[in-house]
Amino acid sequence: MSYHFSYESLLAASQAANWRIEDIIGEGETLDFSKPFMPESFARVGPIACLSDAEKLKLNQIRGCGYLYTFGLAEEFILPFVMDHARSALHVDDARTRALLQFAGEEAKHIDLFHRFYDAFVQGFGTRCGMIGPAEAISQAVLAHHPLGIGMVTLHIEWMTQKHFTESVRDAQDLDPLFRSVLKHHWAEEMQHAQLDEAIVRTLAAQAGPEEVEAGFQDFLKIAALLDGGLMQQLELDIESLQAAIGRELGEAEREEIRAVQRQAIRYTYLGSGLVHPRFLAVMEEVRPGSREELLAMAPAFS
């Protein structure tokens, strides 16, 4: 594979794309709750027969709130991971250090952005939505794994967010404009993050022997399983949030129908869609030959 980037070019691109939170969620900016937030390809509320159109819209918006909250959770462990990597070679390459610290600073900004979005969402939606956590506990659980495994998970998340925006959000004019704006600005900075994380994964893999690379890959799978468990807990919270939002208690048959559809929708959104990203697969195959075949074999279970 051929990669044409440098730390200097990524730093320059990041500085050019830089934005302020106040320019996105500022005074007078409100969410339009007459519109969906999530593309149907991810929300998959359409097939749920037990819900009315108005109730499906509520579930779509709950999923949209959870989408940004979940990426905020991910950035809670990505931030210290990147800072640790920057510290490891602090005096080696000034451009590298500055690019990685810019990466970390932008992740901190994204966490703040998503917190503000949640507050704006609750104010307009009318009821609070339960979210998994606390964030510190999830971050600690992920960071207890091998650094290479964490880097692989981060790479998966970074390229996945690129795929989501370019293929499903950028041209979706039916979605709430403010939600799209948040994702657009997030995407603009994550473009550089994905390439920086590729460099991190290659560096960690180059410093490791074959057994350690394998340990990193196995920890990638363990972290994915950990996150999947959290996503299934989030599904139950989404059902509770939906009941509060629509003002009626769902019967067990209705809850099970929602679970069946949303289980796969959530797994595809956060796991399956990233597992098949060509760039992610290419880097994984480069650092651990055989990864592409294994990951592609896993993907249908999360589609």
Side-chain angles (χ1 to χ4, degrees), residues 26-219:
E27 186 176 352
E29 295 288 348
T30 58
L31 294 160
D32 184 349
F33 288 93
S34 71
K35 295 179 178 292
F37 291 0
M38 289 285 282
E40 175 60 15
S41 57
F42 297 129
R44 298 188 190 178
V45 298
I48 304 175
C50 68
L51 297 179
S52 68
D53 288 345
E55 290 170 338
K56 290 175 183 180
L57 179 61
K58 291 287 189 183
L59 180 55
N60 177 291
Q61 292 165 351
I62 290 168
R63 284 287 312 281
C65 181
Y67 183 80
L68 293 187
Y69 183 87
T70 299
F71 282 121
L73 286 179
E75 288 168 337
E76 293 273 3
F77 65 76
I78 293 173
L79 172 57
F81 169 71
V82 173
M83 292 185 69
D84 285 345
H85 190 71
R87 188 183 299 112
S88 67
L90 187 61
H91 304 293
V92 175
D93 183 336
D94 289 342
R96 173 186 178 279
T97 298
R98 290 181 63 202
L100 290 172
L101 289 177
Q102 181 87 5
F103 182 171
E106 289 167 353
E107 293 292 61
K109 181 174 66 175
H110 297 170
I111 294 169
D112 189 7
L113 172 67
F114 296 156
H115 286 164
R116 296 197 199 186
F117 173 88
Y118 180 79
D119 291 340
F121 179 90
V122 170
Q123 183 177 358
F125 193 64
T127 58
R128 298 190 68 83
C129 295
M131 298 293 163
I132 57 172
E136 296 82 359
I138 296 173
S139 179
Q140 289 175 7
V142 172
L143 292 172
H145 291 81
H146 194 288
L148 181 56
I150 302 169
M152 290 173 172
V153 167
T154 302
L155 185 65
H156 172 270
I157 293 169
E158 303 289 4
W159 281 118
M160 181 177 68
T161 59
Q162 299 297 299
K163 178 183 177 72
H164 288 183
F165 181 77
T166 58
E167 295 184 5
S168 301
V169 176
R170 180 164 53 191
D171 298 323
Q173 299 298 320
D174 60 319
L175 303 182
D176 166 61
L178 181 54
F179 186 78
R180 286 180 63 231
S181 177
V182 169
L183 293 183
K184 176 183 177 180
H185 286 84
H186 182 244
W187 162 79
E189 294 184 339
E190 292 296 333
M191 285 193 294
Q192 287 70 245
H193 298 183
Q195 295 179 76
L196 284 166
D197 196 62
E198 285 186 0
I200 292 174
V201 168
R202 286 196 201 89
T203 298
L204 292 172
Q207 294 170 347
E211 291 185 0
E212 198 171 356
V213 169
E214 183 61 28
F217 180 75
Q218 294 303 319
D219 267 17

